[in-house]
């Protein structure tokens, strides 16, 4: 491995954005767009990254001046980029006061977030703030927060007290109406701390919704060696990603202050809803379906799933028979073309995106990815055996043992409750009773089809069950 450590080569840019949740996805998506927007149109939009929990990212990036390499993996070739838009990284657990001060800096006009679905501390089935969440209980009682909503509220409180304008809160997580969700949790928390603060935030802050898309598998140890060999310099935290990218952003920022994203291919729109539905249901909905059914069929990655003719036909049938008929396309988009493009992206053999990684946090993902489509189809009396099988596969997966009895490491904030329900005498009934996942009005309609799908999986196995619905 080369001995030289990657270093910053471009001058530092003053910080205009604080980003909460500096994971691989944002570094391979938003940070690259923002770098391009500054190169094209200027502006002091340097990014200060914040890791909410772990010091790892800071420890990896600090010796590299915040910079890192992004390796684009196309079916026909690779492109390496040096990303330098992140200026430095703070660790919230270590020094929450420093993070609040950074967010209260008058030069900061945007706080963006990729904190994953569970980071919003809401009930996925309703979008409401979960007041029993331990981090929210903590943040109501202490001025130095631990949760993302807590940081947003306490930083906005500092700005309010100092007579500054609020920042725009730009969520980049895979949630439907993500702008509305983050606005809702922030206002709810703020109102319980100081009603006048909540009124000010409601009147003056902005929460543009966004739809984000790029497939970015978690970086593996062998990737680090490969990128170092390509670059001739050691990067402790490279990101690997597919060529495709899309970002649709509601153009609603405090004082119109934002990087010139429109100049670098970001779609700036008045309403992102139809794009979000399309992406969450067509991409993430099939990703999760392939994750559970693919894992139970013994496949390690999405590309492996697509090389299996049964899963390939299954996912195409999900799109054409169950998901597309239940969607309203954004203006000018043909959903059949969107599905064909997804199919090619999934099949990209250079992207090793593990089914296990996508299967993570299913309790937070199923409502917006799959249950919304099921609801629309039930109302239209349209059968959806494939998506029922996907939900049933999740019900098997969260037992913590696959269909052969081998152990699965289930990662989910509700893992203990899921396992207890999934291993009870009535797994389907007990899981359907979890109101954080299944809304009360939907659950009874899912009962019979899910029992049938669950039984088919256990009796016939994942592949035979999928074949039976094709
Ligand atoms: C994936 C997403 O891990 C997951 O749940 O479905 O991260 C997916 O790769 C991205 O949303 C693609 O834009």
């Amino acid at each position: 491995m080369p001995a030289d450590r990657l270093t910053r080569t471009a001058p530092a840019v003053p910080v205009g954005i604080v980003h909460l949740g500096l994971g691989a996805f944002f570094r391979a998506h938003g940070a690259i767009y923002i770098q391009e927007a500054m190169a094209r149109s200027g502006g002091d939009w340097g990014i200060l990254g914040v890791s909410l929990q772990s010091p790892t990212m800071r420890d990896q990036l600090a010796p590299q001046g915040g910079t890192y390499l992004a390796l684009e993996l196309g079916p026909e070739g690779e492109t390496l980029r040096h990303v330098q838009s992140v200026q430095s990284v703070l660790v919230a657990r270590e020094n929450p006061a420093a993070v609040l001060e950074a967010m209260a800096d008058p030069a900061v006009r945007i706080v963006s977030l990729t904190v994953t679905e569970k980071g919003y501390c809401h009930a996925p089935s309703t979008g409401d703030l979960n007041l029993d969440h331990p981090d929210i209980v903590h943040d109501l009682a202490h001025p130095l927060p631990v949760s993302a909503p807590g940081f947003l509220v306490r930083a906005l409180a500092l700005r309010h007290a100092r007579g500054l304008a609020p920042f725009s809160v730009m969520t980049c997580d895979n949630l439907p109406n993500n702008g509305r969700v983050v606005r809702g949790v922030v206002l709810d928390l703020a109102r319980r701390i100081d009603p006048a603060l909540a009124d000010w935030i409601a009147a003056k802050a902005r929460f543009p919704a966004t739809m984000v898309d790029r497939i970015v598998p978690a970086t593996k140890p062998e990737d680090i060696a490969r990128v170092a060999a390509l670059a001739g310099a050691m990067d402790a935290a490279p990101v690997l990603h597919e060529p495709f990218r899309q970002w649709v952003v509601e153009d609603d920022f405090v004082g119109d202050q934002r990087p010139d994203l429109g100049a670098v291919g970001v779609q700036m729109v008045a309403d992102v809803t139809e794009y979000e539905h399309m992406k969450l249901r067509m991409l993430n909905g099939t990703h999760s379906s392939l994750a559970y059914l693919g894992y139970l069929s013994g496949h390690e990655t999405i590309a492996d799933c697509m090389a299996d003719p049964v899963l390939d036909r299954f996912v195409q049938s999900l799109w054409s028979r169950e998901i597309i008929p239940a969607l309203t396309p954004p203006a000018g988009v043909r959903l059949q073309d969107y599905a064909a493009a997804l199919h090619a992206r999934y099949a990209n053999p250079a992207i090793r995106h593990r089914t296990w990684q996508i299967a993570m946090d299913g309790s937070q993902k199923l409502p917006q990815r799959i249950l919304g489509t099921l609801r629309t189809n039930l109302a239209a009396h349209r059968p959806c055996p494939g998506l029922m099988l996907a939900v049933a596969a999740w019900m098997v997966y969260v037992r913590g043992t696959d269909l052969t009895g081998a152990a699965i490491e289930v990662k989910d904030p509700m893992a203990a409750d899921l396992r207890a329900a999934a291993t009870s005498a009535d797994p389907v009934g007990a899981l359907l009773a979890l109101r954080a996942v299944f809304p009360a009005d939907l659950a009874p309609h899912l009962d019979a089809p899910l029992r049938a799908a669950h039984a088919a999986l256990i009796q016939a196995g994942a592949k035979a069950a999928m074949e039976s619905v094709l």
Side-chain angles (χ1 to χ4, degrees):
M1 211 176 268
D4 286 348
R5 190 72 182 254
L6 186 75
T7 51
R8 175 173 291 278
T9 56
V13 179
V15 168
I17 299 175
V18 171
H19 184 80
L20 305 183
L22 191 68
F25 178 78
F26 179 77
R27 294 192 299 121
H29 184 267
I32 296 180
Y33 274 112
I34 290 163
Q35 168 156 309
E36 291 174 4
M38 288 193 287
R40 175 72 73 93
S41 310
D44 288 342
W45 295 108
I47 300 163
L48 181 131
V50 176
S51 292
L52 288 175
Q53 321 264 351
S54 145
T56 308
M57 187 60 64
R58 188 267 323 272
D59 295 347
Q60 290 171 332
L61 292 187
Q64 308 174 183
T67 74
Y68 55 91
L69 297 164
L71 179 62
E72 176 175 309
L73 300 169
E76 273 119 39
E78 305 177 337
T79 312
L80 194 62
R81 284 189 187 79
H82 189 186
V83 184
Q84 313 209 33
S85 50
V86 176
Q87 310 300 309
S88 59
V89 185
L90 292 176
V91 181
R93 274 283 143 98
E94 285 177 3
N95 195 346
V99 173
L100 290 177
E101 276 308 322
M103 295 168 77
D105 186 324
V108 167
R109 286 145 289 159
I110 295 176
V111 174
S112 52
L113 297 93
T114 44
V115 293
T116 79
E117 295 85 348
K118 61 180 178 289
Y120 293 84
C121 307
H122 68 306
S125 56
T126 61
D128 295 340
L129 183 66
N130 175 5
L131 291 166
D132 298 327
H133 193 297
D135 291 353
I136 297 301
V137 172
H138 173 277
D139 289 358
L140 279 166
H142 299 90
L144 291 178
V146 293
S147 74
F151 275 100
L152 292 168
V153 169
R154 298 289 180 178
L156 285 164
L158 282 180
R159 296 179 79 108
H160 185 219
R162 294 175 188 174
L164 298 170
F167 42 69
S168 301
V169 178
M170 181 171 67
T171 156
C172 303
D173 280 295
N174 284 316
L175 293 167
N177 303 313
N178 54 11
R180 217 175 63 208
V181 168
V182 69
R183 184 174 191 272
V185 296
V186 163
L187 287 181
D188 192 352
L189 188 58
R191 199 158 297 286
R192 288 163 202 276
I193 292 172
D194 173 2
L197 171 67
D199 290 342
W200 177 76
I201 296 173
K204 300 271 169 56
R206 290 291 178 269
F207 298 83
T210 73
M211 180 272 247
V212 293
D213 190 8
R214 171 165 265 178
I215 292 175
V216 186
T219 304
K220 304 168 190 65
E222 60 268 28
D223 299 331
I224 296 179
R226 176 173 165 199
V227 171
L230 269 174
M234 167 62 194
D235 175 358
V239 286
L240 284 74
H241 60 81
E242 64 170 343
F244 181 90
R245 63 176 183 173
Q246 187 175 15
W247 200 2
V248 189
V249 176
E250 273 175 16
D251 202 359
D252 182 22
F253 289 78
V254 177
D256 289 330
Q257 290 287 311
R258 56 163 175 79
D260 190 7
L261 297 172
V264 292
V266 178
Q267 293 160 264
M268 305 302 297
V269 301
D271 183 359
V272 81
T273 313
E274 280 164 1
Y275 291 95
E276 265 181 344
H277 278 150
M278 173 180 77
K279 194 259 171 170
L280 284 166
R281 293 178 179 196
M282 289 195 55
L283 191 158
N284 300 107
T286 54
H287 241 186
S288 289
S289 303
L290 289 173
Y292 301 115
L293 286 161
Y295 188 96
L296 295 179
S297 307
H299 293 309
E300 197 193 339
T301 69
I302 294 293
D304 294 343
C305 291
M306 300 311 286
D308 179 330
V310 174
L311 280 130
D312 185 321
R313 279 174 53 220
F314 179 79
V315 74
Q316 308 232 37
S317 140
L318 286 184
W319 282 318
S320 63
R321 291 197 239 166
E322 303 187 22
I323 303 177
I324 291 179
L327 267 180
T328 308
V333 178
R334 228 184 127 250
L335 294 177
Q336 288 76 6
D337 296 344
Y338 187 76
L342 288 179
H343 186 255
R345 291 168 64 192
Y346 288 3
N348 179 351
I351 295 287
R352 303 217 29 90
H353 201 183
R354 294 173 68 193
T355 47
W356 179 83
Q357 187 191 344
I358 300 165
M360 232 181 261
D361 293 346
S363 68
Q364 315 293 303
K365 294 174 173 174
L366 288 192
Q368 61 273 18
R369 294 181 175 207
I370 297 182
L371 303 186
T373 308
L374 287 177
R375 180 188 286 281
T376 308
N377 282 335
L378 285 167
H381 303 291
R382 193 180 299 117
C384 24
L387 289 175
M388 293 291 179
L389 211 49
V391 178
W394 169 76
M395 292 180 154
V396 171
Y397 186 93
V398 297
R399 302 185 310 194
T401 43
D402 71 11
L403 292 164
T404 69
I408 307 176
E409 189 193 353
V410 177
K411 293 252 192 180
D412 193 295
M414 292 178 65
D417 291 347
L418 296 176
R419 175 175 228 153
T423 53
S424 70
D426 176 19
V428 175
L431 286 162
L432 271 178
L434 295 173
R435 284 293 155 264
V437 183
F438 297 99
D441 63 329
L442 184 63
H445 302 284
L446 302 178
D447 191 84
L450 282 180
R451 282 178 193 282
H454 192 265
L457 280 175
I458 304 235
Q459 280 152 23
K463 294 238 302 217
M466 280 184 275
E467 280 187 292
S468 74
V469 303
L470 289 174

